[in-house]
């Protein structure tokens, strides 16, 4: 069976859903982080898929001729950059939480509550 | 003349005030340059006088036929769809006359003040206020719409306040200033009401528009004119708001002469004369009667008080109130030009009297300083025989006294006789109440002649009631006596602009029949006068007899009795004299009936309202915010997952809406 766009998008959606559930349910800061990365990469996968779809359609002279096929790929680079920056800051926070509390249970970090 | 030159009339006094004020504020050394300050301030008033004079000459020659007003404007002010008000001015017959009085007498008083205020530590401030006053007054009388007039109206009020309280370190004087301001504000409130009503009816505040559509005002004219009259009672010191004027004598004497005798206090008369077509509407007829009655009551009340006063300025102050009453009597009789005529003659002789009293006070003050006596330099009981030491002051004061008393040939005679004649003849067609007004006016004229002769005699004639062996009072400097002479001469000749028409023929009354012709329409009394021409002669003879007789009697009476004369006057008036001495307890009456309840209400009702209602609203809104916050802050659980969940749900809802909606 030839892989098509639908399959790629399904994988991306599943990855995104896993990421969301992970962020909402896990208490370990590192794992939450990894889930966020998972979500980001799910988005990246769908971006790439759509980019490819549009480039094929454009080559065939379809309706999406006016869409730049490189746009999706460019977005991916942006997302990766932001993700890298976010990882830097996020991990630094996680490390400083660990230094103070000797664990990284995010439910214990609630000093901003009412 | 070009717009620019004409604008200088209004702008120069403002520029003078700004220059003196700012330089004096920033530079201490400038404050002591009295000659420079005096020069700047005087030229800031004298130059506009000459411009107005030039406009007057142009008006009488070039515009002879048409009598179109000379117009100029400075800047636009309010311009929207429904209303258009500019800083625009007009010089018609009325404005020209008032303008010449204000800037002419203003210039003389500026010159006089240079000597009078010599060595005062507030010298520069005094001239700053004076220039500012002239600026405001010119706005009042030259403005061609009610809004500019109102600006001037308020401006002169402020300057009056500043100048009455000029020596504000004295609590009494500061209080007098406050009293004047508050009494004026009551009148101003009525003025605003009148403006709203007029704008509601006419949709314009231009005098030309208002006067043109006066006929269409109908019954509204009654309320408009009544409000305008109430406004005038505040500024022009009539019952019930006259009480501020006698207290206003706390200010320096040149201020009393300029503001509280010659110019500002006549602005109420100007206002009514300017808007006379509204007063000529049939619906406003009752208001004219009200004006005449109130004016007569004011005139006689003030004259009675003046008899029993010993402070030279207080006598003149009550005399001013009384004379303003005469002017309003003329307005009440619909003789607007006559009122303006009396404004003019009164400006001459009363300014001269006030400046003369200033000269006397100045001299007595120095004399008491030299002899180390602690006596009131304004009390005529310590004066007497001053004519010998102050010939110029004495002479001009005496001339002006004769003028105000109505001695034939002097200015006051013509204007006062005209007022009384107009009120008398109004009695035939417009209600016999005018006869009573006339009678009261005639009695007041007797009283005027009496108390003014008394004042002059006790001040300038007879024995000196102070020691003259080592020191004696000195005549003031020429800077003070020259204005006195000019005003004295004007007080003599000013009346010839208005010779009685009934006696000397239609054209003898230059003011009514040539100058104001076509601009101001008096209520027509001429045919009544012609019907009763014998009566007119009779009135004239009566007026002459009263003036000459009373002055002669009073002079001899005080010559014979001296200060003891007052004791005899006391016997004549009996128990009423005590009332006169105490100003009929009007101040005390106001204190008890108005001030006390106000203070009580302030202490009780207002404080309660403030504590409970005002504070309640503020405190209530604060605690309501706290209570709501107490509930909704529970949302902030502090768990990251909760926030993430809410964000996810939000995203799902939004995307769901975008896809499905």
């Amino acid at each position: 069976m030839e892989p098509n766009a639908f399959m790629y998008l399904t994988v991306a959606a599943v990855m995104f859903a896993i990421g969301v559930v992970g962020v909402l349910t896990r208490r370990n800061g590192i794992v939450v982080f990894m889930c966020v990365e998972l979500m980001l990469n799910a988005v990246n996968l769908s971006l790439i898929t759509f980019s490819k779809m549009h480039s094929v359609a454009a080559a065939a002279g379809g309706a999406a001729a006016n869409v730049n096929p490189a746009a999706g790929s460019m977005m991916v680079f942006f997302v990766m950059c932001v993700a890298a920056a976010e990882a830097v800051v996020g991990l630094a926070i996680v490390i400083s939480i660990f230094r103070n509390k000797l664990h990284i249970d995010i439910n214990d970090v609630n000093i901003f509550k009412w | 003349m070009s717009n620019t030159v004409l604008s200088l009339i209004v702008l120069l006094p403002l520029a003078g005030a700004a220059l003196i004020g700012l330089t004096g504020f920033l530079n201490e050394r400038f404050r002591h340059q009295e000659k420079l300050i005096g020069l700047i301030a005087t030229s800031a008033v004298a130059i506009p006088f000459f411009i107005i004079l030039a406009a007057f000459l142009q008006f009488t020659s070039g515009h002879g036929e048409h009598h179109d007003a000379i117009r100029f404007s400075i800047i636009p002010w309010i311009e929207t769809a429904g209303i258009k008000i500019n800083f625009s001015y007009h010089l018609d017959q009325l404005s020209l006359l008032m303008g010449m009085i204000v800037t002419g007498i203003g210039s003389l008083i500026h010159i006089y003040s240079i000597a009078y205020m010599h060595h005062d530590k507030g010298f520069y401030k005094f001239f700053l206020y004076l220039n500012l006053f002239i600026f405001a007054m010119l706005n009042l009388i030259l403005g061609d719409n009610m809004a500019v007039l109102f600006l001037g109206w308020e401006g002169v009020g402020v300057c009056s306040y500043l100048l009455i309280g000029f020596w504000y370190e004295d609590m009494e004087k500061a209080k007098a200033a406050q009293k004047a301001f508050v009494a004026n504000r009551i009148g101003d409130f009525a003025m605003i009401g009148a403006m709203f009503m007029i704008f509601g009816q006419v949709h314009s505040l231009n005098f030309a528009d208002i006067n043109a559509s006066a006929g269409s005002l109908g019954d509204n004219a009654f309320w408009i004119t009544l409000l305008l009259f109430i406004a005038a009672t505040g500024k022009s010191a009539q019952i019930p708001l006259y009480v501020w004027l006698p207290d206003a004598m706390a200010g320096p004497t040149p201020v009393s002469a300029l503001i509280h005798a010659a110019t500002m206090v006549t602005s109420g008369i100007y206002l009514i004369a300017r808007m006379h077509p509204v007063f000529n509407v049939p619906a406003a007829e009752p208001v004219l009667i009200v004006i005449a009655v109130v004016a007569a009551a004011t005139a006689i009340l003030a004259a009675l008080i003046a008899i029993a006063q010993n402070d030279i300025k207080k006598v003149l102050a009550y005399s001013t109130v009384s004379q303003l009453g005469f002017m309003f009597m003329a307005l009440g009789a619909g003789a607007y030009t006559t009122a303006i005529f009396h404004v003019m003659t009164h400006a001459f002789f009363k300014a001269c009297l006030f400046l003369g009293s200033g000269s006397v006070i100045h001299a007595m003050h120095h004399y008491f300083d030299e002899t180390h006596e602690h006596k009131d330099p304004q009390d005529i009981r310590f004066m007497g025989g001053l004519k010998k030491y102050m010939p110029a002051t004495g002479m001009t004061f005496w001339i002006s006294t004769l003028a105000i008393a109505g001695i034939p040939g002097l200015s006051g005679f013509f204007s006062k006789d005209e007022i009384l004649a107009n009120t008398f003849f109004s009695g035939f067609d417009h209600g016999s109440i005018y006869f009573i007004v006339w009678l009261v006016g005639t009695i007041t004229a007797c009283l005027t002649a009496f108390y003014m002769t008394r004042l002059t005699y006790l001040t300038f004639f007879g024995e000196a009631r102070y020691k003259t062996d080592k020191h004696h009072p000195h005549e003031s400097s020429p800077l003070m006596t020259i204005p006195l002479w000019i005003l004295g001469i004007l007080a003599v000749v000013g009346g010839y602009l208005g010779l009685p028409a009934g006696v000397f023929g239609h054209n003898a009354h230059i003011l009514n029949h040539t100058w104001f012709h076509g601009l101001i329409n008096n209520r027509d009394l001429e045919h009544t006068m012609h019907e009763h021409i014998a009566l007119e002669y009779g009135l004239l003879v009566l007026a002459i007899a009263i003036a000459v007789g009373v002055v002669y009697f009073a002079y001899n009476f005080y010559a014979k009795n001296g200060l003891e004369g007052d004791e005899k006057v006391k016997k004549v008036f009996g128990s009423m004299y005590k009332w006169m001495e105490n100003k009929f307890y009007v101040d005390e009456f106001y204190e008890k009936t108005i001030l006390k309840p106000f203070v009580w209400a302030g202490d009780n009702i207002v404080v309660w309202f403030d504590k409970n209602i005002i504070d309640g609203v503020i405190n209530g809104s604060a605690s309501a915010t706290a209570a709501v916050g107490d509930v909704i802050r529970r949302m902030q659980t502090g768990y990251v997952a909760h926030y993430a969940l809410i964000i996810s749900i939000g995203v799902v809802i939004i995307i769901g809406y975008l896809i499905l909606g």
Side-chain angles (χ1 to χ4, degrees):
Chain A
M1 192 169 61
E2 196 67 12
N4 58 16
F6 178 76
M7 292 175 183
Y8 284 105
L9 289 177
T10 308
V11 172
V14 170
M15 270 167 72
F16 190 85
I18 291 169
V20 170
V21 173
V23 167
L24 292 183
T25 55
R26 300 305 296 260
R27 293 164 60 191
N28 188 320
I30 297 283
V31 176
V32 170
F33 241 115
M34 283 160 61
C35 292
V36 170
E37 294 297 326
L38 204 58
M39 285 159 72
L40 287 168
N41 282 314
V43 173
N44 281 350
L45 185 59
S46 60
L47 281 169
I48 289 293
T49 311
F50 284 124
S51 175
K52 180 79 180 165
M53 265 171 69
H54 284 304
S55 62
V56 171
N66 56 350
V67 178
N68 186 348
S73 314
M74 290 308 297
M75 271 314 287
V76 173
F77 280 103
F78 277 111
V79 173
M80 281 159 70
C81 288
V82 173
E86 177 248 313
V88 169
V89 177
L91 282 173
I93 293 171
V94 170
I95 287 167
S96 70
I97 291 172
F98 183 77
R99 279 193 182 157
N100 280 304
K101 304 212 169 208
L102 294 180
H103 63 74
I104 46 171
D105 183 348
I106 54 166
N107 278 359
D108 200 33
V109 188
N110 59 356
I111 54 170
F112 272 0
K113 87 177 214 183
W114 47 273
Chain B
M1 265 181 290
S2 71
N3 200 52
T4 324
V5 176
L6 288 166
S7 306
L8 286 180
I9 297 172
V10 181
L11 293 179
L12 270 181
L14 180 65
L19 183 64
I20 294 169
L22 289 175
T23 321
F25 181 69
L26 298 172
N27 183 349
E28 288 228 21
R29 283 208 345 255
F30 177 78
R31 294 180 199 177
H32 304 292
Q33 312 240 306
E34 297 192 350
K35 278 184 187 146
L36 180 63
I37 294 173
L39 185 71
I40 296 171
T42 308
S43 28
V45 184
I47 295 171
F49 171 69
F50 288 113
I51 299 174
I52 295 179
L53 198 64
F56 168 76
L57 293 176
Q58 184 191 338
F59 192 88
T60 45
S61 60
H63 286 255
E65 287 297 304
H66 304 293
H67 279 313
D68 281 339
I70 301 171
R71 295 179 177 281
F72 62 100
S73 71
I74 298 180
I75 44 166
W77 178 16
I78 300 171
E79 274 189 54
T80 60
I83 186 170
K84 191 173 175 186
I85 297 168
N86 295 336
F87 281 102
S88 55
Y89 303 87
H90 62 174
L91 287 164
D92 59 3
Q93 292 92 321
L94 184 56
S95 292
L96 276 171
L97 189 69
M98 292 296 287
M100 282 194 285
I101 294 173
V102 169
T103 52
I105 293 182
S107 307
L108 293 176
I109 289 172
H110 273 70
I111 295 169
Y112 177 97
S113 306
I114 298 172
Y116 190 85
M117 298 305 287
H118 184 51
H119 278 324
D120 193 286
K121 65 178 167 144
F123 191 86
Y124 84 102
K125 270 194 281 180
F126 183 79
F127 280 92
L128 153 68
Y129 296 156
L130 273 195
N131 268 358
L132 203 60
F133 168 78
I134 297 283
F135 167 69
M137 192 69 206
L138 286 173
N139 270 296
L140 200 164
I141 55 179
L142 302 186
D144 79 344
N145 58 65
M146 278 192 92
V148 173
L149 177 138
F150 188 66
L151 274 195
W153 188 270
E154 294 292 306
V156 291
V158 172
C159 294
S160 162
Y161 165 80
L162 290 170
L163 285 163
I164 295 169
F166 185 70
W167 290 310
Y168 53 85
E169 281 154 2
D170 184 339
M171 196 58 198
E172 284 296 308
K173 291 174 177 167
K175 272 188 178 169
Q178 217 172 37
K179 187 171 169 183
F181 198 74
V182 171
N184 269 305
R185 293 300 310 165
I186 298 170
D188 296 347
F189 185 71
M191 176 85 171
I192 295 173
M195 279 169 68
F196 277 123
M197 277 196 79
I198 288 170
F199 191 76
Q201 297 294 320
V202 186
H203 304 293
S204 167
L205 289 176
N206 270 18
F207 289 123
D209 299 338
I210 298 168
N211 288 345
S213 49
S216 65
L217 286 173
D219 288 345
N220 288 308
F222 175 79
W223 294 107
I224 291 171
T225 49
L226 193 65
L227 285 171
L228 286 173
F229 175 58
I230 293 171
T233 58
K235 202 57 92 195
S236 296
Q238 296 295 296
I239 290 174
L241 295 176
Y242 76 94
V243 287
W244 65 271
L245 186 57
D247 285 21
M249 295 303 125
T253 309
V255 170
S256 313
L258 177 63
I259 302 184
H260 305 122
T263 55
M264 185 187 90
V265 288
T266 61
S267 48
I269 292 122
Y270 167 79
L271 176 73
I272 293 178
R274 170 62 72 201
M275 307 193 67
H276 71 280
V278 187
F279 286 82
N280 277 342
V281 171
E285 188 117 333
V287 177
L288 285 181
I289 291 175
V290 169
I291 294 176
V293 171
V294 169
T298 311
I300 195 160
L301 182 84
L304 282 172
I305 297 172
I307 290 178
Q309 300 300 312
N310 288 317
D311 183 314
I312 184 168
K313 283 182 75 181
K314 276 275 155 71
V315 176
L316 291 177
Y318 280 106
S319 160
T320 305
V321 174
S322 175
Q323 295 298 312
L324 290 167
F326 270 107
M327 296 170 205
F328 276 99
M329 273 161 65
L331 296 174
Y336 310 105
T337 56
T338 307
I340 295 293
F341 184 29
H342 199 56
V343 165
M344 184 184 78
T345 57
H346 176 258
F348 296 150
F349 54 68
K350 189 51 70 62
C352 183
L353 287 169
F354 263 117
L355 293 185
S357 78
S359 176
V360 169
I361 294 164
H362 202 62
M364 291 313 283
H365 190 80
H366 278 286
Y367 169 77
F368 286 140
D369 268 359
E370 278 172 350
T371 57
H372 303 291
E373 285 175 279
H374 292 287
K375 285 179 176 166
D376 184 359
Q378 304 194 8
D379 195 326
I380 53 175
R381 283 171 298 189
F382 303 134
M383 296 176 190
L386 278 172
K387 192 169 171 295
K388 189 174 151 198
Y389 307 109
M390 310 178 71
T393 308
M395 198 62 206
T396 50
F397 203 92
W398 186 223
I399 291 171
S400 300
T401 300
L402 295 179
I404 194 176
I407 294 292
L410 304 179
S411 60
F413 167 73
F414 296 110
S415 51
K416 200 185 287 182
D417 173 62
E418 198 180 315
I419 290 171
L420 291 173
N422 272 296
T423 41
F424 185 79
F425 286 112
S426 292
F428 287 106
D429 293 342
H430 301 283
S432 39
I433 185 122
Y434 282 105
F435 289 126
I436 298 169
V437 170
W438 170 81
L439 186 66
V440 173
T442 308
I443 295 170
T444 309
C446 296
L447 296 174
T448 308
F450 184 81
Y451 70 71
M452 283 310 298
T453 312
R454 165 183 178 264
L455 178 69
T456 313
Y457 192 88
L458 291 181
T459 311
F460 290 102
F461 297 100
E463 299 264 305
R465 287 182 293 279
Y466 45 89
K467 290 189 227 61
T468 51
D469 42 358
K470 277 190 208 144
H471 302 281
H472 63 79
H474 293 282
E475 179 62 284
S476 310
S477 78
L479 276 183
M480 285 163 76
T481 53
I482 290 170
L484 282 176
W485 276 116
I486 296 173
L487 288 168
I489 291 165
L490 286 171
V492 173
V493 302
Y496 290 93
L497 284 175
L499 296 175
V503 178
F504 290 96
H506 185 80
N507 289 329
H509 202 300
I510 299 169
L511 217 52
N512 281 5
H513 296 295
T514 311
W515 184 242
F516 283 128
H517 181 73
L519 179 75
I520 299 183
N521 302 312
N522 287 351
R523 211 152 67 174
D524 189 22
L525 288 174
E526 224 152 83
H527 70 278
T528 323
M529 285 192 186
H530 281 300
E531 271 171 40
H532 308 273
I533 192 74
L535 270 175
E536 164 131 25
Y537 277 100
L539 287 180
L540 206 60
V541 171
L542 181 67
I544 295 173
I546 284 173
V548 176
V550 174
V551 170
Y552 180 78
F553 165 74
Y555 186 89
N556 285 318
F557 179 72
Y558 278 97
K560 200 174 124 207
N561 298 304
L563 263 188
E564 305 304 309
D566 281 351
E567 294 301 319
K568 293 196 173 175
V569 175
K570 205 172 195 168
K571 281 204 186 102
V572 172
F573 282 101
S575 57
M576 198 167 87
Y577 194 81
K578 199 166 175 332
W579 283 71
M580 284 151 61
E581 234 177 344
N582 290 298
K583 299 144 194 170
F584 288 90
Y585 300 100
V586 172
D587 280 328
E588 286 78 0
F589 175 73
Y590 283 169
E591 171 97 29
K592 280 228 168 64
T593 54
I594 298 171
L595 236 50
K596 277 261 175 69
F598 255 98
V599 172
W600 181 87
D603 282 348
N604 297 285
I605 300 170
V606 176
V607 167
W608 177 87
F609 187 84
D610 190 57
K611 264 188 186 159
N612 293 289
I613 309 292
I614 305 274
D615 289 3
V617 167
I618 290 166
N619 292 342
S621 66
S623 46
T625 310
V628 172
D630 223 34
V631 174
I632 58 176
R633 71 178 175 155
R634 309 280 162 187
M635 263 167 57
Q636 308 287 337
T637 54
Y639 294 113
V640 179
H642 285 181
Y643 303 135
L645 180 64
I646 290 167
I647 293 170
S648 313
I649 291 169
V651 169
V652 168
I653 289 171
I654 291 169
I655 291 178
Y657 175 77
L658 287 177
I659 292 173
L660 302 176

